[in-house]
C-alpha cells in the first residue's frame, strides 16, 4: 500500500521528471519571440512592449498557465499533478493533469483577462465570439482516457476543467456533464470540496502510470531543458513588466503636466476675473 508521502513523491518518479507548468507554451512563445525585431532605443525609452501582437497572445496564455499550475501544485499530498503532457501527434499538450480523491481531471487554462465569458453545455463565448474550447476539451478527455487506461491496465474516466483566468465576467448558463467551466481562482477550492471518488491506492496507481514517459507520445519530446526555458521566460517577463512600468510612468507624468497646465490657465483666468471685479 502506498502512503500519502508516496503520492506526493510521484512528481519525482522516473520518467518525466519534475513537472514544469507551461513548458510547451513557453517554448512556442520563445521561438516566436525570437523572430520579433528588437526594440529601438527610443521604443525602450517610451516603454514600448518587447512583444508583438502574436507573441502578446502567447505570453498571456503562458502567464495564465503558470498561474493555474502553481495553484494546482499547492493541492497537497493527496493529489498527483503533472503539467505539459504530450498526447497524439499533431495535437497540443495537455496543460495540466490532476489525479486525486475527486477523480481524474485534465485542466485547460484560458486567459481571457478583461473580457466577458459566457458558457452553456455546448457553447463558450468570449466577448461575443464563439470559441471551440469545450469541443477541444472533449477530444483531449477522450485521448487522456485512452492513454491512461492503457497505461494503468484498467478503465479510467477523465473529466475536464476549463480554468478561465481574470475574465471581466464569467456566466455559466448550463453546466456540461463532463466539463466544468470555472474561474481560475475557484479551481483549487472546487477540487478540494468535490466528493471523493478515488481511494489513496487508486490515486497512487494512476499517478504512477501518469508519471512514466512511456505513457505519453514521444513525438512531442524536446531537448529544451525546463529550468533554462523557464529562466529565459522570466527574463522576457521582466522586460515586459519594465516596459509596462515605463509606460505607466509616462502616463502619470503626462497627466500631472496636463493637470498643472490646466491649473495654471485656470488660475490666470480667475485672477483676471477677480481683477475685473475690483477685488
Amino acid at each position: 500500500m502506498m502512503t500519502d508521502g508516496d503520492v506526493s513523491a510521484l512528481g519525482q518518479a522516473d520518467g518525466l521528471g519534475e513537472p514544469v507548468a507551461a513548458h510547451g507554451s513557453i517554448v512556442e512563445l520563445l521561438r516566436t519571440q525570437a523572430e520579433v525585431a528588437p526594440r529601438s532605443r527610443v521604443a525602450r525609452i517610451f516603454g514600448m512592449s518587447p512583444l508583438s501582437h502574436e507573441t502578446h497572445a502567447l505570453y498571456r496564455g503562458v502567464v495564465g498557465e503558470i498561474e493555474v499550475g502553481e495553484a494546482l501544485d499547492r493541492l497537497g499530498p493527496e493529489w498527483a499533478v503533472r503539467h505539459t503532457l504530450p498526447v497524439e501527434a499533431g495535437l497540443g499538450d495537455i496543460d495540466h493533469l490532476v489525479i486525486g480523491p475527486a477523480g481524474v481531471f485534465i485542466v485547460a487554462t484560458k486567459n481571457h483577462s478583461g473580457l466577458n465569458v459566457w458558457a452553456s453545455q455546448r457553447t463558450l463565448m468570449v466577448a461575443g465570439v464563439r470559441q471551440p474550447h469545450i469541443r477541444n476539451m472533449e477530444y483531449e478527455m477522450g485521448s487522456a482516457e485512452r492513454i491512461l487506461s492503457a497505461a494503468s491496465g484498467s478503465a479510467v474516466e477523465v473529466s475536464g476543467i476549463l480554468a478561465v483566468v481574470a475574465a471581466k465576467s464569467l456566466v455559466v448558463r448550463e453546466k456540461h456533464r463532463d466539463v466544468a467551466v470555472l474561474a481560475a481562482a475557484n479551481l483549487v477550492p472546487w477540487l478540494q470540496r468535490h466528493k471523493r471518488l478515488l481511494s489513496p491506492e487508486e490515486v497512487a496507481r494512476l499517478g504512477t502510470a501518469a508519471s512514466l514517459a512511456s505513457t505519453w507520445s514521444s513525438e512531442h519530446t524536446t531537448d529544451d531543458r525546463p529550468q533554462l526555458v523557464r529562466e529565459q521566460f522570466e527574463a522576457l517577463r521582466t522586460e515586459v513588466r519594465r516596459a509596462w512600468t515605463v509606460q505607466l510612468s509616462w502616463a502619470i507624468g503626462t497627466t500631472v503636466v496636463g493637470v498643472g497646465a490646466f491649473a495654471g490657465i485656470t488660475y490666470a483666468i480667475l485672477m483676471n476675473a477677480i481683477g475685473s471685479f475690483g477685488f
Side-chain angles (χ1 to χ4, degrees), residues 21 65-76 79-83 95-98 105-109 161 163 184 187-189 191-192:
E65 201 171 329
I66 289 175
E67 176 184 322
V68 170
E70 290 177 345
L72 291 173
D73 286 338
R74 295 192 291 269
L75 269 169
W79 301 79
V81 178
R82 301 211 63 83
H83 310 290
D95 291 351
H96 318 280
L97 174 69
V98 182
F105 302 86
I106 59 172
V107 181
T109 303
I161 301 174
L187 173 59
V188 168
L191 287 168
Q192 290 174 329

Side-chain angles (χ1 to χ4, degrees), residues 130-153:
R130 188 186 300 268
Q131 301 293 333
H133 298 339
I134 293 178
R135 184 181 69 244
N136 293 345
M137 174 64 77
E138 290 174 333
Y139 193 87
E140 290 183 2
M141 287 160 51
S143 297
E145 286 182 343
R146 291 192 297 273
I147 291 169
L148 289 174
S149 295
S152 65

Side-chain angles (χ1 to χ4, degrees), residues 186-262:
N186 298 331
L187 173 59
V188 168
W190 186 89
L191 287 168
Q192 290 174 329
R193 66 173 177 262
H194 205 282
K195 65 179 180 180
R196 178 178 290 271
L197 298 176
L198 299 178
S199 67
E201 293 77 19
E202 290 173 311
V203 173
R205 178 174 59 83
L206 293 174
T208 297
S211 72
L212 300 175
S214 58
T215 297
W216 307 98
S217 171
S218 61
E219 298 199 25
H220 292 281
T221 56
T222 176
D223 293 328
D224 295 302
R225 290 171 291 178
Q227 185 60 37
L228 176 60
V229 167
R230 185 61 180 267
E231 289 173 358
Q232 291 173 340
F233 169 73
E234 291 300 334
L236 176 61
R237 194 174 195 177
T238 298
E239 282 190 62
V240 172
R241 287 171 167 170
R242 184 179 295 122
W244 179 85
T245 301
V246 171
Q247 283 190 27
L248 182 62
S249 298
W250 275 106
I252 293 173
T254 302
T255 301
V256 170
V257 170
V259 170
F262 178 77

